[in-house]
Amino acid sequence: MIKKGCLDIVQAKCENCTDCILAKTRKNVVFSDGNPETARIVLIGEAPGETEDETGKPFVGRAGKLLNQFLEEAGISRENDLYIINTVKCRPPENRVPTDVEKALCERYLTAQIDIMNPQAIIFCGATSLRSFWEDKKVQISKVRGNWFNVTVNGKEYRAMAIFHPSYLLRNHSMEEGSPRRLMQHDLSVIKSEILGDRQECSTNPFNKELALV
Ligand code: URA
């Protein structure tokens, strides 16, 4: 419970945050989802949408449901393998992209979450989260997705990969070879095999380790 305890402190601060104008219109601060004690991967999206703002959980609307399907198909457990967060923790009105000021004011929560989680890998889900850590602020996901690179957060290097945002995949239905959905399947299967291994089972129960190795 060590990570959870530290994250709870950051969450309490975040839930009272009024640093930017998003605090005025939010219903809930959307801090995170997943089990911080078992997650080896931090997945970072853009910002909460309407359903996320209502529920206080990231990726629970239409895009989140599609993400769940891709994760399940790849054998990645949303509950146990991932700690899911957003670049900004409050919903921008009309789901607009968060501004540079909003991102900058929210960065301390994001970097604290990464620091405490100390993940084996970071997944940047969509351009907004990627550009927060990439030098070229106009970088396209399609140019860099699927390849590992290193990012430095508070002086520590992490392995990272960018993947398409599920909202983009909601607008792109093709399953043809080379299509965004097929590339998403590919990228998640690489993440699954290189970070999580080929185990079928994922649980906090240490006795499941044996099962996992079968
Ligand atoms: N899109 C995001 O980037 N994050 C969410 O939590 C939901 C949709």
Side-chain angles (χ1 to χ4, degrees):
M1 297 297 278
I2 293 167
K3 287 183 182 175
K4 183 168 183 318
C6 296
L7 289 162
D8 283 349
I9 295 169
V10 180
Q11 182 166 2
K13 285 216 164 84
C14 190
E15 284 179 350
N16 287 313
C17 181
T18 53
D19 286 354
C20 82
I21 54 163
L22 299 183
K24 292 199 168 95
T25 48
R26 74 175 177 229
K27 291 191 177 134
N28 285 292
V29 168
V30 178
F31 190 72
S32 68
D33 194 26
N35 182 341
E37 307 302 337
T38 57
R40 285 187 265 168
I41 298 170
V42 168
L43 182 143
I44 313 176
E46 177 177 293
E50 189 178 7
T51 321
E52 290 78 17
D53 186 40
E54 300 275 353
T55 58
K57 290 260 176 247
F59 284 106
V60 290
R62 272 183 77 219
K65 291 203 167 78
L66 183 60
L67 178 66
N68 291 349
Q69 283 175 25
F70 276 97
L71 292 172
E72 200 177 318
E73 190 189 25
I76 298 174
S77 160
R78 175 172 170 141
E79 292 73 29
N80 294 304
D81 296 330
L82 298 185
Y83 181 71
I84 302 184
I85 57 181
N86 278 310
T87 308
V88 301
K89 313 301 184 211
C90 300
R91 182 191 182 201
E94 315 294 325
N95 296 343
R96 63 163 171 72
V97 177
T99 64
D100 288 347
V101 171
E102 289 156 1
K103 284 187 283 181
L105 290 170
C106 215
E107 195 179 286
R108 62 193 175 115
Y109 301 115
L110 178 60
T111 54
Q113 287 174 308
I114 296 170
D115 234 0
I116 295 166
M117 284 303 295
N118 189 22
Q120 281 175 29
I122 297 175
I123 305 178
F124 294 108
C125 188
T128 297
S129 62
L130 174 67
R131 289 174 185 158
S132 295
F133 291 87
W134 195 274
E135 211 176 321
D136 171 7
K137 299 300 174 200
K138 295 205 164 104
V139 63
Q140 298 293 317
I141 286 280
S142 54
K143 296 268 157 53
V144 300
R145 54 135 288 277
N147 293 309
W148 292 109
F149 54 90
N150 288 335
V151 286
T152 305
V153 180
N154 287 349
K156 187 170 188 305
E157 261 198 5
Y158 298 92
R159 220 171 162 207
M161 189 187 284
I163 61 171
F164 287 120
H165 194 284
S167 302
Y168 176 67
L169 303 178
L170 281 172
R171 303 189 296 269
N172 288 274
H173 294 264
S174 168
M175 283 304 291
E176 272 176 30
E177 190 73 35
S179 65
R181 285 189 181 223
R182 286 290 284 273
L183 296 173
M184 180 76 156
Q185 286 179 326
H186 169 268
D187 297 348
L188 290 176
S189 75
V190 170
I191 291 163
K192 157 77 180 163
S193 65
E194 293 194 23
I195 303 297
L196 303 172
D198 289 325
R199 80 205 140 73
Q200 299 296 310
E201 193 79 18
C202 180
S203 166
T204 47
N205 179 351
F207 296 106
N208 277 346
K209 261 199 189 136
E210 274 113 61
L211 285 177
L213 296 173
V214 174

